[in-house]
Short mmCIF file of all heavy atoms in Angstrom, two decimals:
data_model
loop_
_atom_site.label_atom_id
_atom_site.label_comp_id
_atom_site.label_asym_id
_atom_site.label_seq_id
_atom_site.Cartn_x
_atom_site.Cartn_y
_atom_site.Cartn_z
N LEU A 16 -26.90 66.81 -42.46
CA LEU A 16 -25.58 67.16 -42.03
C LEU A 16 -25.52 68.35 -41.05
O LEU A 16 -24.65 68.48 -40.31
CB LEU A 16 -24.71 67.40 -43.27
CG LEU A 16 -24.43 66.17 -44.14
CD1 LEU A 16 -23.66 66.57 -45.38
CD2 LEU A 16 -23.60 65.16 -43.35
N THR A 17 -26.49 69.21 -41.11
CA THR A 17 -26.58 70.36 -40.30
C THR A 17 -27.27 70.05 -38.94
O THR A 17 -27.35 70.86 -38.04
CB THR A 17 -27.21 71.54 -40.92
OG1 THR A 17 -28.54 71.21 -41.32
CG2 THR A 17 -26.49 72.12 -42.09
N GLY A 18 -27.81 68.78 -38.83
CA GLY A 18 -28.40 68.38 -37.60
C GLY A 18 -29.90 68.79 -37.47
O GLY A 18 -30.47 68.70 -36.40
N LEU A 19 -30.46 69.29 -38.55
CA LEU A 19 -31.84 69.75 -38.50
C LEU A 19 -32.77 68.52 -38.47
O LEU A 19 -33.88 68.58 -37.83
CB LEU A 19 -32.19 70.58 -39.73
CG LEU A 19 -31.47 71.91 -39.80
CD1 LEU A 19 -31.78 72.54 -41.17
CD2 LEU A 19 -31.91 72.81 -38.71
N VAL A 20 -32.31 67.42 -39.01
CA VAL A 20 -33.10 66.15 -39.00
C VAL A 20 -32.20 65.09 -38.36
O VAL A 20 -31.08 64.88 -38.86
CB VAL A 20 -33.49 65.75 -40.44
CG1 VAL A 20 -34.28 64.45 -40.41
CG2 VAL A 20 -34.29 66.91 -41.07
N PRO A 21 -32.67 64.44 -37.33
CA PRO A 21 -31.88 63.37 -36.70
C PRO A 21 -31.70 62.15 -37.63
O PRO A 21 -32.58 61.88 -38.45
CB PRO A 21 -32.64 63.04 -35.43
CG PRO A 21 -33.97 63.55 -35.59
CD PRO A 21 -33.91 64.59 -36.60
N ALA A 22 -30.61 61.38 -37.46
CA ALA A 22 -30.36 60.23 -38.27
C ALA A 22 -31.43 59.19 -38.12
O ALA A 22 -31.79 58.52 -39.16
CB ALA A 22 -29.01 59.63 -37.83
N GLU A 23 -32.01 59.00 -36.96
CA GLU A 23 -33.08 58.00 -36.77
C GLU A 23 -34.30 58.32 -37.64
O GLU A 23 -34.90 57.43 -38.23
CB GLU A 23 -33.47 57.93 -35.28
CG GLU A 23 -32.41 57.43 -34.37
CD GLU A 23 -31.46 58.53 -33.91
OE1 GLU A 23 -31.84 59.78 -33.99
OE2 GLU A 23 -30.32 58.23 -33.61
N SER A 24 -34.59 59.62 -37.73
CA SER A 24 -35.71 60.01 -38.52
C SER A 24 -35.50 59.76 -40.00
O SER A 24 -36.38 59.32 -40.72
CB SER A 24 -36.00 61.50 -38.23
OG SER A 24 -37.10 61.94 -39.10
N VAL A 25 -34.31 60.02 -40.44
CA VAL A 25 -33.98 59.87 -41.88
C VAL A 25 -34.06 58.39 -42.22
O VAL A 25 -34.65 57.96 -43.23
CB VAL A 25 -32.58 60.40 -42.21
CG1 VAL A 25 -32.11 60.02 -43.58
CG2 VAL A 25 -32.56 61.97 -42.04
N LEU A 26 -33.45 57.58 -41.34
CA LEU A 26 -33.44 56.11 -41.62
C LEU A 26 -34.81 55.44 -41.55
O LEU A 26 -35.11 54.55 -42.31
CB LEU A 26 -32.44 55.39 -40.69
CG LEU A 26 -30.99 55.72 -40.89
CD1 LEU A 26 -30.14 55.03 -39.86
CD2 LEU A 26 -30.54 55.31 -42.31
N GLN A 27 -35.65 55.93 -40.65
CA GLN A 27 -36.97 55.40 -40.57
C GLN A 27 -37.90 55.86 -41.67
O GLN A 27 -38.77 55.03 -42.14
CB GLN A 27 -37.63 55.83 -39.16
CG GLN A 27 -37.03 55.08 -38.00
CD GLN A 27 -37.62 55.67 -36.71
OE1 GLN A 27 -38.31 56.66 -36.69
NE2 GLN A 27 -37.30 54.99 -35.63
N LYS A 28 -37.76 57.05 -42.11
CA LYS A 28 -38.73 57.56 -43.09
C LYS A 28 -38.25 57.48 -44.49
O LYS A 28 -39.04 57.38 -45.44
CB LYS A 28 -39.08 59.00 -42.70
CG LYS A 28 -39.84 59.08 -41.40
CD LYS A 28 -40.32 60.41 -41.12
CE LYS A 28 -41.18 60.57 -39.95
NZ LYS A 28 -40.70 60.30 -38.66
N ALA A 29 -37.01 57.54 -44.77
CA ALA A 29 -36.48 57.64 -46.12
C ALA A 29 -36.00 56.27 -46.63
O ALA A 29 -35.95 56.12 -47.82
CB ALA A 29 -35.35 58.67 -46.25
N VAL A 30 -35.64 55.36 -45.72
CA VAL A 30 -35.03 54.11 -46.17
C VAL A 30 -35.66 52.92 -45.47
O VAL A 30 -35.81 53.03 -44.27
CB VAL A 30 -33.48 54.15 -45.90
CG1 VAL A 30 -32.85 52.91 -46.36
CG2 VAL A 30 -32.84 55.38 -46.54
N THR A 31 -36.02 51.93 -46.22
CA THR A 31 -36.44 50.68 -45.61
C THR A 31 -35.31 49.78 -45.30
O THR A 31 -34.28 49.89 -45.99
CB THR A 31 -37.48 50.02 -46.49
OG1 THR A 31 -36.80 49.63 -47.73
CG2 THR A 31 -38.67 50.87 -46.90
N PRO A 32 -35.33 48.89 -44.38
CA PRO A 32 -34.28 48.00 -44.08
C PRO A 32 -33.86 47.09 -45.34
O PRO A 32 -32.76 46.85 -45.55
CB PRO A 32 -34.79 47.12 -42.94
CG PRO A 32 -35.86 47.93 -42.29
CD PRO A 32 -36.45 48.74 -43.39
N GLY A 33 -34.89 46.74 -46.14
CA GLY A 33 -34.60 46.00 -47.33
C GLY A 33 -33.70 46.76 -48.32
O GLY A 33 -32.81 46.19 -48.95
N LEU A 34 -33.94 48.06 -48.45
CA LEU A 34 -33.16 48.87 -49.35
C LEU A 34 -31.73 49.00 -48.83
O LEU A 34 -30.81 48.94 -49.58
CB LEU A 34 -33.79 50.22 -49.53
CG LEU A 34 -33.12 51.21 -50.49
CD1 LEU A 34 -33.06 50.64 -51.91
CD2 LEU A 34 -33.82 52.55 -50.48
N VAL A 35 -31.60 49.22 -47.56
CA VAL A 35 -30.22 49.31 -46.95
C VAL A 35 -29.51 48.05 -47.19
O VAL A 35 -28.33 48.01 -47.56
CB VAL A 35 -30.33 49.63 -45.40
CG1 VAL A 35 -28.96 49.50 -44.77
CG2 VAL A 35 -30.93 51.02 -45.21
N THR A 36 -30.17 46.88 -47.02
CA THR A 36 -29.50 45.58 -47.22
C THR A 36 -29.09 45.45 -48.70
O THR A 36 -27.95 45.02 -48.96
CB THR A 36 -30.47 44.45 -46.83
OG1 THR A 36 -30.87 44.60 -45.52
CG2 THR A 36 -29.84 43.05 -47.07
N LEU A 37 -29.95 45.84 -49.62
CA LEU A 37 -29.65 45.77 -51.00
C LEU A 37 -28.44 46.65 -51.37
O LEU A 37 -27.55 46.19 -52.11
CB LEU A 37 -30.86 46.17 -51.85
CG LEU A 37 -30.75 46.07 -53.33
CD1 LEU A 37 -30.43 44.60 -53.79
CD2 LEU A 37 -31.97 46.62 -54.03
N VAL A 38 -28.39 47.82 -50.85
CA VAL A 38 -27.29 48.74 -51.17
C VAL A 38 -26.01 48.16 -50.59
O VAL A 38 -24.99 48.20 -51.25
CB VAL A 38 -27.51 50.17 -50.61
CG1 VAL A 38 -26.30 51.04 -50.63
CG2 VAL A 38 -28.66 50.85 -51.42
N VAL A 39 -26.07 47.58 -49.39
CA VAL A 39 -24.86 47.03 -48.79
C VAL A 39 -24.36 45.83 -49.66
O VAL A 39 -23.12 45.71 -49.88
CB VAL A 39 -25.10 46.59 -47.35
CG1 VAL A 39 -23.95 45.78 -46.77
CG2 VAL A 39 -25.25 47.83 -46.46
N LEU A 40 -25.30 45.02 -50.09
CA LEU A 40 -24.97 43.90 -50.89
C LEU A 40 -24.32 44.31 -52.27
O LEU A 40 -23.36 43.66 -52.75
CB LEU A 40 -26.18 42.93 -51.14
CG LEU A 40 -26.62 42.18 -49.90
CD1 LEU A 40 -27.92 41.45 -50.22
CD2 LEU A 40 -25.61 41.16 -49.54
N ILE A 41 -24.85 45.35 -52.85
CA ILE A 41 -24.32 45.85 -54.10
C ILE A 41 -22.93 46.36 -53.87
O ILE A 41 -22.01 46.15 -54.71
CB ILE A 41 -25.22 46.81 -54.72
CG1 ILE A 41 -26.49 46.16 -55.24
CG2 ILE A 41 -24.59 47.64 -55.87
CD1 ILE A 41 -27.60 47.10 -55.75
N LEU A 42 -22.70 47.12 -52.80
CA LEU A 42 -21.43 47.60 -52.48
C LEU A 42 -20.36 46.44 -52.24
O LEU A 42 -19.22 46.56 -52.67
CB LEU A 42 -21.42 48.59 -51.28
CG LEU A 42 -22.15 49.88 -51.52
CD1 LEU A 42 -22.24 50.63 -50.18
CD2 LEU A 42 -21.40 50.75 -52.56
N ALA A 43 -20.88 45.40 -51.52
CA ALA A 43 -20.05 44.21 -51.36
C ALA A 43 -19.67 43.57 -52.66
O ALA A 43 -18.52 43.18 -52.89
CB ALA A 43 -20.72 43.27 -50.42
N SER A 44 -20.65 43.49 -53.59
CA SER A 44 -20.37 42.86 -54.83
C SER A 44 -19.40 43.69 -55.69
O SER A 44 -18.60 43.15 -56.44
CB SER A 44 -21.64 42.69 -55.62
OG SER A 44 -22.14 43.86 -56.26
N ILE A 45 -19.40 45.02 -55.58
CA ILE A 45 -18.43 45.88 -56.21
C ILE A 45 -17.07 45.59 -55.66
O ILE A 45 -16.04 45.54 -56.43
CB ILE A 45 -18.81 47.34 -56.11
CG1 ILE A 45 -20.05 47.63 -56.92
CG2 ILE A 45 -17.68 48.22 -56.54
CD1 ILE A 45 -20.61 49.03 -56.70
N GLY A 46 -16.99 45.46 -54.31
CA GLY A 46 -15.67 45.11 -53.70
C GLY A 46 -15.22 43.72 -54.19
O GLY A 46 -13.99 43.55 -54.42
N LEU A 47 -16.11 42.77 -54.23
CA LEU A 47 -15.72 41.44 -54.75
C LEU A 47 -15.27 41.49 -56.22
O LEU A 47 -14.41 40.66 -56.57
CB LEU A 47 -16.83 40.47 -54.60
CG LEU A 47 -17.17 40.01 -53.15
CD1 LEU A 47 -18.43 39.16 -53.15
CD2 LEU A 47 -16.00 39.27 -52.62
N GLU A 48 -15.87 42.38 -56.94
CA GLU A 48 -15.49 42.49 -58.38
C GLU A 48 -14.03 42.81 -58.57
O GLU A 48 -13.43 42.41 -59.53
CB GLU A 48 -16.38 43.60 -59.04
CG GLU A 48 -16.34 43.63 -60.53
CD GLU A 48 -17.33 44.64 -60.97
OE1 GLU A 48 -18.47 44.59 -60.59
OE2 GLU A 48 -16.96 45.49 -61.84
N LYS A 49 -13.50 43.57 -57.65
CA LYS A 49 -11.99 43.91 -57.73
C LYS A 49 -11.15 42.89 -57.15
O LYS A 49 -9.93 43.02 -57.25
CB LYS A 49 -11.92 45.19 -56.98
CG LYS A 49 -12.82 46.31 -57.46
CD LYS A 49 -12.21 47.60 -57.51
CE LYS A 49 -13.21 48.70 -57.94
NZ LYS A 49 -13.62 48.62 -59.29
N ALA A 50 -11.64 41.83 -56.53
CA ALA A 50 -10.81 40.77 -55.91
C ALA A 50 -10.21 39.86 -57.02
O ALA A 50 -10.86 39.52 -58.01
CB ALA A 50 -11.66 39.93 -55.01
#
């Protein structure tokens, strides 16, 4: 948040694309749960 580490670096090193997809799917399922 202070800009010491760029977003690209955080996404490349801390998060795999599979994990991002899983988190998005879980968030979508939470939204569907309320439908």
Side-chain angles (χ1 to χ4, degrees):
L16 293 174
T17 58
L19 296 171
V20 179
E23 296 82 23
S24 177
V25 172
L26 291 176
Q27 286 176 349
K28 294 185 172 68
V30 180
T31 63
L34 181 61
V35 171
T36 304
L37 182 62
V38 169
V39 168
L40 289 171
I41 289 172
L42 290 174
S44 75
I45 291 170
L47 286 174
E48 191 175 312
K49 306 219 181 291

